[in-house]
Structures are given as C-alpha cells and as structure tokens.
Amino acid sequence: MSASLKAKIAEVFEEPGCDKNQGKSEKERKKGCTKQLTPGAAAGGCAFDGAKIALQPIVDVAHLVHGPIACEGNSWDNRHSASSGSTLYRTGFTTDINELDVIYGAEKRLFKSIREICEKYDPPAIFVYQTCVTGLIGDDIEAVCKRAAEKFNKPVIPVNAPGFAGPKNLGNKLGAEALLDYVVGTIEPDTTTPYDINIIGEYNLSGELWQVKPLLDALGVRILSCISGDGRYKEVASAHRAKANMMVCSKSMINIATKMQQRWDIPYFEGSFYGIGDMSETLREIARLLVERGAPAELKERTEALIAVEEARAWERIRGYKQRLTGKKVLLITGGVKSWSVVAALQEAGLEVVGTSIKKSTKEDKEKIKEIMGDDAHMIDDMTPRQMYAMLRDAKADIMLSGGRSQFVALKARMPWMDINQERHHAFAGYEGMVTMIAEIDKALFNPMWAEVRTPAPWETVDTLLIEQSAEQLASEAQPA
C-alpha cells in the first residue's frame, strides 16, 4: 500500500462527523473502525467497489478502471442509477491489463487509454480507478493523471481506492476524498441563489431523486449539485457555493459534508426521503437551514403549506391499502439509512416490522431504530440464510424486504419477497414513492401465486392417500376374525 493511500485512509478514519469516532481517544481513532479484508473474502464489496458505485452516478464523465477486465465487469452498472441526460457513465472503460503489464508496469497503457477516451468521447472529465493488481505492482495513477490532464487540457481525476484497502464503506469515503481533493471548488457556478442546496449520498436509484426534485422546485429550492445521482461534473465542481448540505445515505460520504463545512462554512444535516413523516421533516429542515443562511422567512410558511397538501394526498391514496396490510409482519434485511427510515414508512401503513438488519448501520442509525420501534426493537446484526429461512417458514414474518441476494431464501420458504435495495426497479422516495412501496408490498403479499405454490403437488396428495389406505388395510388385517 502506497504512503499516500495510507495517509488518506488514516485521515478518513479520524473523520469528525463519524459518531463512533466522537467517543474514541486519539489513538483509537487512528486505528480505524474497520478490519481489513482477507483474500477471497470481499463478499459485500471491496474499497474499489465502494468508490465506483459512489462516483459512477456522475453521468457525463468517463469512468476508467485501471486493472483487469474482471474488476470492471463486476462493478459496471450494478445499480439502477438513472440519468436525465448523458449515458456515458454506463459505458465500461478499462485498461484490461495482462500478464506483461504486471511484469513491466501498466502506466503507459493507462496513459494511452486516457488519450483514446479524450479522442473518441471528449468528456468534461475522466475518473481513473486504482485496483488491487495495479496498486500492488506500484502504478502511480496520480502521476499519470496529472501528466494526462496537462497534455489533454482536461481534468483527469485519480481515485486511489484499491480493493485491498478495506471494505465498501471505506471505498465510499475514499471516492469522496477524490472529489474533495480534485473536483469540488474548481469551478464557479454561472449563478447562485439563496435557495441553493447540495444533496450528498443520493444516487438516484430507479429515479428516486426525480420524485423529490418536483417538491423542491415547488418551493423554489435549487439542487445546485447532487453527489452523485444524476450528477454532472460541472455541478459537482461548483458545489462549494451552496447554502446548505443534506446528507442522505447513512453517512457513506460524510467526509464531503464535514469538510465542506470546514472549508466553506456550509452547514449540513442528515435526513431521509423515505416515508411520509421523514419526507416532511426533511423539507422543514431544508427550509430552516436556508432561512438561517439568508433565504426569506416566508419559505417556512410555503413549506408547511406544501407538506399539508402532499401528506393529505398521500394518506388518501394509502388508506385503501392500510386496511389490508394492518397487522402483516415484515422482516427487513437492508442497512444504512433504510434500516430506520423504511421502518417508519412501513409502520405508517399499518405493517409490523418483526426485525431489521443493522449490519451497515451507524450508532446513530441504531438509536433511531430504538426511537421508532421502542427499546425491544429486534435489531439483526448478521442473520444467516438458515435463520432467515426458519423465521419465514415458521410464519414469524409474512413478507421479507431485502436485496436480491436474499430473495431465494424467501422463495424456498414459499413466502413473498420484495427488493428494497439498489437493484430494485421502483422508486420509493418522497410521498409518491411511499405510495408506490405500499402498492408493491400489497401486490407481493396478495399475489394468488402464493396459494398455488403452497398447495401440495398432485403426486404428493396421491402418495399421502395411498399411505393412509395402506395403513387402514394393515390395521384391518391385523384385527382377529
């Protein structure tokens, strides 16, 4: 591991915005809050994967992976991050190094790849991702990117987050560090307003940002930059002129919010777009921060008026589902901000959450779960597939909401399942998303397919009948004449 990468990881570990760090001594903070990955044990994502998924939703730049083609193949388009314009982010770029590159170095190949991208696509910027192999052979991507930027007169951003550096969560923060070091603050916006905000840690999964943006538009609030969902390089580079920041995803990129507060005095808060109540509180907090930063005070009044209209509309649409869903039990296997914000949303629809996972949740997330569910909240640190199956089979839950990797456990138990993670095809953010989520749960729970799959197969029924007849026959033959 290079000295620069070690220094950057140490800096990330001492992040002041991390609630775990606040209770540690200086020595404990330097040790970090995560264990290193062991070879072959990158299930759940490595640092490279974390950096790539955090930055790839910046849609108009070229994302070039410097390493074997398998790294790009495993990370390409693994989320449904939607774009309202350019689709360049969905093109897979890789240097595709070979055995000779490992022996002699692959810096020349990287430089040629950057030149080819500039000539064929001419993006506003190129992001270059370090991987394990090129990190181990000592390729200096910072030097290559600096030379290429001077040669082609274009920003070429090194993202030094090889997989062996740590898990996905660390990779999120290392990707954020690349933005802080090379992007944010390098371009001035064309115009600024008292209503400018940045949204950090929102990836526009299945177009969720587009369900929130109309609400902000109605209030006159402008998203100066979204980091990184449906983002543009110029917008991210000019994010330092916003009046306030909103942190969305469980502090995965908290270092952007804290360092922007230190460098440019931009306040931030953590909010959620999931659930009616949380969406309303987020709008109120945005209005409060903007008013404190100089926006007209009447913004708060307009915010309350919008909330009243949207909440009434959402509740009216949910009412029909609530009668059918009240009392149904849900097992929630996710993490981060969804571990508590989705709980609140489900409870609003009358559903009972019998367990929620906290594997990727922060201490603050866990406190919010207790606040919502009570002190007896069933928080699951790491549930095995066997435990999930037993819980569903014994009817302790009527439906499981999780990521795609867990769906086959539910199907084996012949129980309904719905995707709640990033691979899903439905947007669940905002008031509209809440209605969509409840409608999808209703479809899954009351799908007549489940009655069919739980019905014994014809041959099982015949075998049971034959066994019963044989038992009766044996019993009658055993009786004395």
Side-chain angles (χ1 to χ4, degrees):
M1 189 181 296
S2 66
S4 61
L5 179 56
K6 286 182 179 179
K8 185 59 69 176
I9 292 175
E11 183 181 342
V12 168
F13 279 156
E14 294 189 52
E15 169 56 48
C18 175
D19 55 290
K20 291 184 179 180
N21 276 344
Q22 293 168 6
K24 292 180 179 180
S25 66
E26 184 178 352
K27 184 177 180 181
E28 288 175 327
R29 284 199 299 271
K30 289 181 178 179
K31 290 180 180 178
C33 55
T34 183
K35 60 183 180 181
Q36 297 295 306
L37 293 177
T38 55
C46 61
F48 158 73
D49 185 41
K52 185 82 182 309
I53 63 176
L55 301 181
Q56 187 162 344
I58 302 176
V59 299
D60 61 345
V61 307
H63 299 271
L64 173 60
V65 176
H66 183 41
I69 196 168
C71 291
E72 172 63 347
N74 289 336
S75 66
W76 177 80
D77 203 29
N78 63 356
R79 289 185 169 196
H80 297 147
S81 297
S83 169
S84 59
S86 173
T87 58
L88 184 62
Y89 74 114
R90 299 191 71 243
T91 301
F93 297 102
T94 175
T95 52
D96 186 20
I97 66 169
N98 55 36
E99 290 86 348
L100 288 177
D101 295 316
V102 173
I103 296 171
Y104 296 109
E107 292 179 355
K108 289 184 178 179
R109 179 184 283 262
L110 173 59
F111 187 84
K112 290 178 180 178
S113 299
I114 294 171
R115 181 175 61 193
E116 183 177 350
I117 291 172
C118 290
E119 292 172 352
K120 289 186 176 181
Y121 298 92
D122 191 28
I126 300 172
F127 285 25
V128 177
Y129 298 83
Q130 184 78 286
T131 60
C132 289
V133 177
T134 51
L136 289 170
I137 65 176
D139 279 0
D140 189 347
I141 66 168
E142 284 94 345
V144 175
C145 289
K146 182 178 180 181
R147 180 181 166 217
E150 295 170 352
K151 175 72 174 178
F152 305 118
N153 194 28
K154 186 182 298 295
V156 183
I157 314 302
V159 183
N160 197 359
F164 59 72
K168 183 165 66 174
N169 228 14
L170 175 62
N172 295 152
K173 294 178 174 61
L174 291 176
E177 287 293 318
L179 295 183
L180 289 163
D181 290 343
Y182 299 100
V183 183
V184 178
T186 59
I187 296 177
E188 291 296 326
D190 296 332
T191 59
T192 59
T193 75
Y195 300 96
D196 292 347
I197 67 166
N198 296 320
I199 299 179
I200 303 170
E202 164 56 47
Y203 305 112
N204 196 33
L205 303 180
S206 300
E208 288 190 331
L209 177 67
W210 302 334
Q211 293 187 324
V212 176
K213 191 175 183 300
L215 300 171
L216 300 176
D217 289 343
L219 296 173
V221 175
R222 182 175 74 152
I223 300 176
L224 183 62
S225 171
C226 181
I227 303 175
S228 58
D230 198 17
R232 307 295 189 274
Y233 180 80
K234 183 178 179 181
E235 294 173 353
V236 177
S238 61
H240 62 298
R241 295 307 180 196
K243 303 300 181 184
N245 284 335
M246 176 186 173
M247 189 73 234
V248 178
C249 186
S250 188
K251 301 186 177 180
S252 65
M253 301 175 89
I254 184 65
N255 43 336
I256 291 183
T258 56
K259 289 189 177 179
M260 289 184 75
Q261 186 175 45
Q262 294 166 6
R263 296 177 188 178
W264 295 288
D265 193 30
I266 304 174
Y268 74 92
F269 75 100
E270 184 178 6
S272 169
F273 294 138
Y274 297 111
I276 294 175
D278 286 325
M279 183 68 240
S280 298
E281 286 305 310
T282 294
L283 291 177
R284 290 188 180 103
E285 193 65 15
I286 290 173
R288 183 188 67 81
L289 280 179
L290 288 176
V291 169
E292 288 181 359
R293 298 280 291 174
E298 51 86 27
L299 176 61
K300 291 184 178 181
E301 298 175 4
R302 290 192 290 110
T303 301
E304 291 299 331
L306 177 67
I307 288 172
V309 171
E310 292 294 335
E311 283 192 351
R313 180 171 172 269
W315 283 123
E316 180 62 29
R317 297 175 65 191
I318 288 172
R319 186 173 294 115
Y321 295 110
K322 191 171 183 178
Q323 295 174 358
R324 288 156 55 92
L325 296 178
T326 297
K328 295 292 183 181
K329 298 177 181 178
V330 178
L331 176 61
L332 183 61
I333 304 297
T334 179
V337 69
K338 291 194 294 293
S339 63
W340 57 267
S341 59
V342 171
V343 169
L346 296 173
Q347 289 180 340
E348 287 172 347
L351 292 156
E352 179 186 347
V353 180
V354 295
T356 181
S357 63
I358 54 172
K359 187 174 182 180
K360 295 181 288 184
S361 302
T362 65
K363 181 180 177 182
E364 189 173 355
D365 290 330
K366 296 173 187 177
E367 291 300 323
K368 289 181 179 179
I369 292 171
K370 290 181 180 179
E371 183 181 335
I372 295 168
M373 299 178 64
D375 293 333
D376 58 344
H378 187 192
M379 294 187 288
I380 304 163
D381 189 25
D382 191 9
M383 178 177 274
T384 65
R386 186 182 296 275
Q387 291 170 327
M388 292 181 201
Y389 176 76
M391 194 167 188
L392 293 168
R393 182 196 59 201
D394 298 339
K396 294 179 181 177
D398 298 302
I399 185 172
M400 181 166 76
L401 309 186
S402 70
R405 285 182 296 176
S406 305
Q407 65 176 306
F408 301 105
V409 176
L411 298 178
K412 182 177 177 63
R414 301 179 185 180
M415 296 296 288
W417 169 85
M418 192 182 82
D419 197 342
I420 196 70
N421 281 1
Q422 64 265 18
E423 300 92 354
R424 65 182 182 269
H425 293 273
H426 297 90
F428 296 152
Y431 301 107
E432 187 67 27
M434 173 64 180
V435 177
T436 301
M437 182 170 68
I438 297 306
E440 291 302 312
I441 292 175
D442 182 82
K443 288 178 186 177
L445 272 171
F446 296 100
N447 192 319
M449 172 188 72
W450 300 114
E452 295 293 332
V453 299
R454 292 167 186 159
T455 302
W459 55 87
E460 293 175 344
T461 305
V462 170
D463 289 346
T464 302
L465 182 61
L466 290 174
I467 290 171
E468 291 175 353
Q469 290 175 345
S470 299
E472 291 176 0
Q473 184 176 357
L474 289 171
S476 62
E477 291 175 356
Q479 293 179 357

